[in-house]
Amino acid sequence: MHSAVPARKRRKEARPSELLSAALTLFVEKGYAATRLEDVANLAGVSKGTLYLYYANKEALFKAVIQEGIVPVIVENEEIAARHTGSSFSLLEKLLDHWWNRIGCTAYAGIPKLMVAEAQNFPEIAAYYYANVIARARALVGAALQRGMESGEFHRHDIELTIDVVIAPVLMLLIWEFSLGQFQNTATNPRDYLAVHMKLLQQGLCVARV
Amino acid sequence: MHSAVPARKRRKEARPSELLSAALTLFVEKGYAATRLEDVANLAGVSKGTLYLYYANKEALFKAVIQEGIVPVIVENEEIAARHTGSSFSLLEKLLDHWWNRIGCTAYAGIPKLMVAEAQNFPEIAAYYYANVIARARALVGAALQRGMESGEFHRHDIELTIDVVIAPVLMLLIWEFSLGQFQNTATNPRDYLAVHMKLLQQGLCVARV
Amino acid sequence: MHSAVPARKRRKEARPSELLSAALTLFVEKGYAATRLEDVANLAGVSKGTLYLYYANKEALFKAVIQEGIVPVIVENEEIAARHTGSSFSLLEKLLDHWWNRIGCTAYAGIPKLMVAEAQNFPEIAAYYYANVIARARALVGAALQRGMESGEFHRHDIELTIDVVIAPVLMLLIWEFSLGQFQNTATNPRDYLAVHMKLLQQGLCVARV
Amino acid sequence: MHSAVPARKRRKEARPSELLSAALTLFVEKGYAATRLEDVANLAGVSKGTLYLYYANKEALFKAVIQEGIVPVIVENEEIAARHTGSSFSLLEKLLDHWWNRIGCTAYAGIPKLMVAEAQNFPEIAAYYYANVIARARALVGAALQRGMESGEFHRHDIELTIDVVIAPVLMLLIWEFSLGQFQNTATNPRDYLAVHMKLLQQGLCVARV
DNA sequence: TATGAATGAGTATTCATTCAT
DNA sequence: AATGAATGAATACTCATTCAT
């Protein structure tokens, strides 16, 4: 009678994030359609019915998974950029670093792959994601590039295209990790990969100081 | 070898590729799970039952879609590399160019995104794809990089990581086009994007000739 | 018997009838199956759990709704008949009048339609309703008809069938009001309808006094 | 190998009416909500999936059940009225007779009770039923009454209310039969019931010919 | 070969009921 | 007594697959 684990735990506060975490895991692992809500509930340690107390349906759960977690990091990076004073290249490094610590090495790392896989099926959510994550990240990088080109720190290139080249490998890293990367026998070390990316970027972008 | 093959026969032999083409379209557009075989059959202009005369089941159709089309291009690129004589950078350009003409601007362009989205659900197919497409493409790029570094044309970097940095933007371009790229209001021009990619690559990789 | 009963206590005793009233409203409006107990509880201003303190389950609540309310009116009509002294037709008028005042123009008016709709699903309750409402009402009307025929006031007809003809329009009125009557653009006035019913009945039943 | 009953019978033509008939039976017996589509399918001798080949969903099946069967009878009665030449009362008799033969003693007899029970849950269908069955039946009876009153055959009464009094017992008979009538130990004989109804109607309506 | 009617396993969702607080 | 979080049985509906024609 002491601390017998109660069959029915009451934890209204904690439920949403437990469910979201379980849903993220399974959505990333199996994709939206192949994820059974009962499995999500079980992984979160509750029954099917309980899930519906917190999320109206599967799509609502999916939306919550996407909206949660990444947007705050963009906000933080916007603040980092606003406060930055050093070289433009070091700003790019800071932004990348923050993204990695808050997304890349956390459970949220699977979201980009999930969003890419399901974009066509959830245009509304994809549009939201594009506007609130992608577009804002691009604006941040674009501003840093602009600043660097104006100060003579960077070579001049088309800004939009350069943004793509800067961001793509970072996104690709995460997408890869949750898809075909699993079949690579020698897994790439993400930190090394990013280091090389930055190194090449530096050589490609920065005007050599003779 | 005459061209007097009866229309009916020709039709019959064309069926698989009509089905494959329809399946590719829908798999890319909706994902594996959300694609209904009846829709595939209708798009190919046959009945549901007919599809089963050619492919044992949905998974077999998916395998065929993936296996078809891309592997031959890798073979062609291997031949291009074997015959190549100029600079290592120009080899990279040739390989990219061929890939673009045979995949990037064709219906097969959607396969990378499809494979990324479904890799976890079809480990066997993903492994096949990894071994026959990814690994071989990496080997080609790796050999070109190795050659360039040995000849002094390229800076020395870790080969594996550099391969990632070379390939990632190319893959990303296609993945993007079939996912979140749809929500970008100013669509990136793929050729411009690739040109910038190569330009940065050149600046990052190549030793400056004073 | 003081009126100093504490508010809380009074509230508690009122619960069952508040629940019954809410249940009657919703059962009549939506039918048994489509009525959610949570809605009943909410309409009664209590929580779902509280409902179960008073009624063991949905069926028990349904039984209580049916048993409550109508049986007492039959008892009252039996007393009216016992005390009656005038013409047999005026007794029929009195019985109808009482029924109308105690059922027809109250919230209980919906019960006949509800009982008709659910009779097959709840044979036990339907049998109870038949025995305690229908059969006793028929006996009352039958006795009045018998008396009138014996006294020469009414034409002679088969009693049982005549009972049907007398009662049917009255029941129909209520059933209609809670079903298809809602779609009639010119709603029938119930009092006028009953007046015509009685008029025709008089003409059909009563021997003309030349 | 001779006439082994095929597990899968192909009978596209016959299916809809078989399904409709099974659905009518169960909807009338259990009500809309309590009827399981699998039971409907089984009663029709097919599987769940087959039902969906013919009706998009439960509601569509319900609609089809209601729309089927009764409307044609109204049309027939309209033709009977148009061709009629004798007394107005004999027209009423003809209309009733036809209704009884085509609805009252067939499987469609359960529809009025079904419609009454579900009217609130399917306002759209109820409105359709009201417009195409009830309103047209009332118009027919109303015209007969009007004609009789104008010719001096009938007493003058308010037409609308008299329509109610004429129709109500006929509807009530069927509603009763499929609900509480089941609990009556001495089942009323429908034909006798209708005969008394007409008799009383005649006495109530018709001007005595001295 | 080709068809498309038929099947039934599988899943999202609802809601009566329970029970710890 | 009262609450409302949690449960899980039940059912509508989908769609890959089969098979008689």
Side-chain angles (χ1 to χ4, degrees), chain A residues 4-105:
Chain A
V5 180
R8 297 180 171 200
K9 296 174 260 168
R10 297 187 147 224
R11 357 194 332 166
K12 191 167 202 229
E13 309 302 297
R15 289 285 183 242
S17 70
E18 289 167 359
L19 285 165
L20 244 27
S21 166
L24 173 57
T25 302
L26 293 177
F27 280 148
V28 169
E29 185 181 322
K30 298 168 179 294
Y32 179 82
T35 295
R36 294 170 56 230
L37 286 196
E38 184 153 20
D39 289 342
V40 172
N42 290 160
L43 186 57
V46 299
S47 73
K48 217 178 351 170
T50 299
L51 194 158
Y52 281 90
L53 294 177
Y54 296 93
Y55 300 97
N57 51 42
K58 196 177 185 180
E59 186 168 347
L61 178 64
F62 182 74
K63 280 190 193 181
V65 163
I66 295 297
Q67 291 178 6
E68 162 97 1
I70 290 196
V71 175
V73 179
I74 297 293
V75 174
E76 289 159 17
N77 259 348
E78 286 170 344
E79 287 162 5
I80 286 172
R83 282 199 307 269
H84 182 75
T85 50
S87 76
S88 293
F89 190 78
S90 72
L91 172 55
L92 289 177
E93 285 178 317
K94 267 193 204 170
L95 296 176
L96 176 67
D97 199 53
H98 191 67
W99 165 269
W100 181 256
N101 290 329
R102 296 279 277 105
I103 303 287
C105 63

Side-chain angles (χ1 to χ4, degrees), chain D residues 8 10 35-37 48-49 52 56-58:
Chain D
R8 296 179 170 201
R10 299 187 145 222
T35 295
R36 294 171 56 232
L37 287 195
K48 213 180 355 169
Y52 282 90
N57 52 40
K58 194 177 185 179

Side-chain angles (χ1 to χ4, degrees), chain A residues 86-89 91-92 141-156 159 205-207:
Chain A
S87 76
S88 293
F89 190 78
L91 172 55
L92 289 177
V141 170
L145 290 174
Q146 183 79 42
R147 181 168 172 271
M149 290 181 197
E150 282 169 3
S151 72
E153 180 183 349
F154 293 159
H155 292 291
R156 290 204 170 268
I159 293 274
L205 277 177
C206 298
V207 172

Side-chain angles (χ1 to χ4, degrees), chain D residues 181-195:
Chain D
Q182 319 246 333
F183 300 92
Q184 213 163 355
N185 33 19
T186 61
T188 308
N189 177 293
R191 295 194 171 283
D192 293 346
Y193 171 89
L194 291 175

